[in-house]
Structures are given as C-alpha cells and as structure tokens.
Amino acid sequence: QVQLVESGGGLVHTGGSLTLSCAVSGRTDRRYTMAWFRQAPGAEREFVAAIAWHGLSAYYTDSVKGRFTCSRDNVDNTADLQMTNLEPEDTAIYYCAADWSPQYNGTRPMTIEDMDYWGKGTRVTVSS
C-alpha cells in the first residue's frame, strides 16, 4: 500500500522560510512524478510544483517561481519543497502527490486528476 506523509509545516512570518518533506513508502519503483499542491481556506486545491522522477526537471506555478524549489532523493524515497520569502498568500495546507503514469518531463503543471496517491497534508501559515 502506497503511503505519502508530509512534514515540515508550521507558522512563519512574512519573508521567512520552510522546507516541506514528503516520505513515500509501499512501492519500490522510484519512477514517479512528485507534485505539490496546496489548498487555502475557502479555495480549491491548486498546483504548486512538480519534479520529474529523475530530479532533473521541475515546473512551478508562476506565483512561486524563484521562491520555491523542488528536490528529491530517490535513495531515501523522499522529496522536499523548499519555500523561501514566504508571503501570507502562501498560507494553505500543502499536499504531496505521486504519479506513476508515463514520463513527465517538467514542462507543464500537473492536475489533481493526474495524481495516483496523496498525502494527508501539512499546514503552512504565514503571518503578516
């Protein structure tokens, strides 16, 4: 049974940084795309970033470009989302999700429907 577990959320001030982590278990095949989504209060879940299985390419939604960075460790089967210069608008529950379908090359956003498995989320709150 595949499980994704996020960690690293918390409360930070505007301009601060956090690193979210996602640990994947239950499947030995590392050739999955890892994506991060977020859902702010009263809003729909939205795509944030995705990284290809090899870690060489990633795609970011415009609002986080230059501030967020995806990385992954296929030995430990984990992925990180480094978030810097956080803004109150980044306040949300952040979810990691994995997709084992054919190759993703980091040139487009992922959709909710693309993803096979989801974590339960970790809350990020940015105070002004």
Side-chain angles (χ1 to χ4, degrees), residues 28 30-32 52-55 72-79:
T28 57
R30 302 298 203 255
R31 292 170 295 175
Y32 58 88
W53 73 270
H54 44 66
R72 63 189 295 159
D73 183 332
N74 286 342
V75 174
D76 291 342
N77 210 8
T78 59

Side-chain angles (χ1 to χ4, degrees), residues 23-76:
V24 181
S25 61
R27 189 161 174 175
T28 57
D29 182 1
R30 302 298 203 255
R31 292 170 295 175
Y32 58 88
T33 301
M34 175 62 75
W36 294 89
F37 291 76
R38 65 186 179 187
Q39 188 164 15
E44 295 186 352
R45 194 170 299 190
E46 64 174 2
F47 170 81
V48 176
I51 185 167
W53 73 270
H54 44 66
L56 299 178
S57 55
Y59 189 93
Y60 301 90
T61 195
D62 286 347
S63 63
V64 309
K65 283 180 182 175
R67 301 190 298 123
F68 290 14
T69 304
C70 281
S71 62
R72 63 189 295 159
D73 183 332
N74 286 342
V75 174
D76 291 342

Side-chain angles (χ1 to χ4, degrees), residues 102-122:
Q103 291 182 353
Y104 170 76
N105 57 9
T107 59
R108 64 170 180 86
M110 300 294 284
T111 68
I112 291 172
E113 293 74 20
D114 284 332
M115 312 315 296
D116 296 324
Y117 299 95
W118 292 82
K120 294 183 178 180
T122 185

Side-chain angles (χ1 to χ4, degrees), residues 73-88:
D73 183 332
N74 286 342
V75 174
D76 291 342
N77 210 8
T78 59
D80 286 347
L81 182 68
Q82 296 173 285
M83 307 185 296
T84 64
N85 196 20
L86 284 161
E87 304 166 352

Side-chain angles (χ1 to χ4, degrees), residues 82-105:
Q82 296 173 285
M83 307 185 296
T84 64
N85 196 20
L86 284 161
E87 304 166 352
E89 293 73 22
D90 296 316
T91 294
I93 298 175
Y94 284 71
Y95 300 88
C96 62
D99 170 33
W100 265 272
S101 55
Q103 291 182 353
Y104 170 76
N105 57 9

